[in-house]
Amino acid sequence: MPAVPSCLLEPLWNQFAALLPARGEFVTDHLLGCHRRRIADRTVFEHIVLALVHGSGYERVSTPGCSDRTIRRRVKESSDQGISEQVHALALKAYDRMVGLGLYEISVDACVTKAPSGGEKAERSPVDRGKQGLKRSVASDDCGVPLGIVSDGADRHDSPLQAAKTQVGPLPETVNVNLDRGYDSAKTRALIAELGFTAEITRKGVPTPIQAGKRWGVERTHSRMNGYGKLRRCTEKSGNVVDFYLYLAAALITLRMLIRRATSRYRWDDRPTTRRLK
């Protein structure tokens, strides 16, 4: 049984495969002049998605036709090439063309998750008794579509992370940024003024519920990203691999929102019949 529905897996794979470099059936530069047939990229891709969704180690998701070493090697190759980041950018372009991104209201927020194996981006978590953790800062539009991601150690303050680079083109001239009280600092206000944006920042000492502001979109985005086991409890040590899974999850979230909002506007042959895409 696939980890995600085929209506999400197929378009994601089509874009992912188009960005992979061309490879032969056999490895031509083998020391002995011979090698077993190369495992199909589609097979490895399905195992990567399985590891992302369930958060299991590569040894557990491996099969007789695809070993854990193969999965780990292909993940490293794809992360070094930035393929998942490019796939996310393509998904955002498709969403903007078919539905339209709400770029006049952007929300930014950070989330701390576990990183028990440590790694390049893991630091002591102030909210988990000093254990190793990661912090990701996500920028989303007014409906919760992830526009950009920045990851760092769990002990980093929110203000330096709030400049999450977006994967979209030029932003409108009038952009309002919604932030919580973790960003209530002079550094944040100086950067927003430099960009020419306006901001609504919750003041320190004045608790404001999420329903009272416009940050519900990014909060929902973090909730959806935490639905992927690899992001809730990241065991990857390479910073590039961590970002690879973050952008892959963001691409899946963008595609899911695109399909759900496009079903009421467009018609196509393999349009999903269910309103709920798990």
Side-chain angles (χ1 to χ4, degrees), residues 89-132:
L90 292 173
L92 285 176
K93 290 181 180 178
Y95 186 95
D96 192 21
R97 183 173 62 253
M98 299 180 65
V99 179
L101 291 168
L103 301 178
Y104 293 96
E105 292 286 346
I106 294 180
S107 300
V108 182
D109 199 7
C111 179
V112 178
T113 56
K114 294 178 179 294
S117 299
E120 297 177 358
K121 294 191 175 183
E123 297 293 344
R124 291 172 57 88
S125 175
V127 296
D128 194 17
R129 297 169 293 174
K131 296 181 179 179
Q132 296 293 300

Side-chain angles (χ1 to χ4, degrees), residues 58-101:
Y58 298 131
E59 294 82 1
R60 292 183 177 273
V61 300
S62 61
T63 58
C66 184
S67 66
D68 59 302
R69 292 185 178 181
T70 301
I71 303 172
R72 190 175 289 106
R73 183 172 59 253
R74 300 284 182 88
V75 167
K76 185 179 185 304
E77 293 176 359
S78 300
S79 63
D80 293 340
Q81 297 166 4
I83 292 182
S84 63
E85 188 173 351
Q86 299 177 53
V87 171
H88 176 233
L90 292 173
L92 285 176
K93 290 181 180 178
Y95 186 95
D96 192 21
R97 183 173 62 253
M98 299 180 65
V99 179
L101 291 168

Side-chain angles (χ1 to χ4, degrees), residues 188-255:
T188 301
R189 289 186 173 84
L191 180 57
I192 292 176
E194 180 182 350
L195 296 174
F197 300 158
T198 59
E200 294 183 14
I201 306 176
T202 304
R203 308 293 297 185
K204 293 182 179 179
V206 183
T208 304
I210 298 175
Q211 294 81 1
K214 303 175 183 177
R215 292 186 297 104
W216 63 270
V218 70
E219 297 289 348
R220 186 175 65 175
T221 302
H222 278 301
S223 177
R224 289 173 173 171
M225 296 188 77
N226 287 334
Y228 295 96
K230 181 65 74 173
L231 305 188
R232 285 196 310 269
R233 187 175 180 273
C234 185
T235 56
E236 303 294 338
K237 295 185 177 182
S238 172
N240 290 338
V241 176
V242 172
D243 292 338
F244 170 83
Y245 280 111
L246 286 174
Y247 278 105
L248 189 62
L252 281 170
I253 293 172
T254 305
L255 287 174

Side-chain angles (χ1 to χ4, degrees), residues 142-158:
D142 56 359
C143 289
V145 179
L147 304 177
I149 306 172
V150 172
S151 61
D152 212 321
D155 59 349
R156 287 291 302 276
H157 195 268
D158 291 347

Side-chain angles (χ1 to χ4, degrees), residues 46-62:
E46 292 179 355
H47 286 74
I48 293 174
V49 175
L50 192 65
L52 169 66
V53 174
H54 297 293
S56 305
Y58 298 131
E59 294 82 1
R60 292 183 177 273
V61 300
S62 61

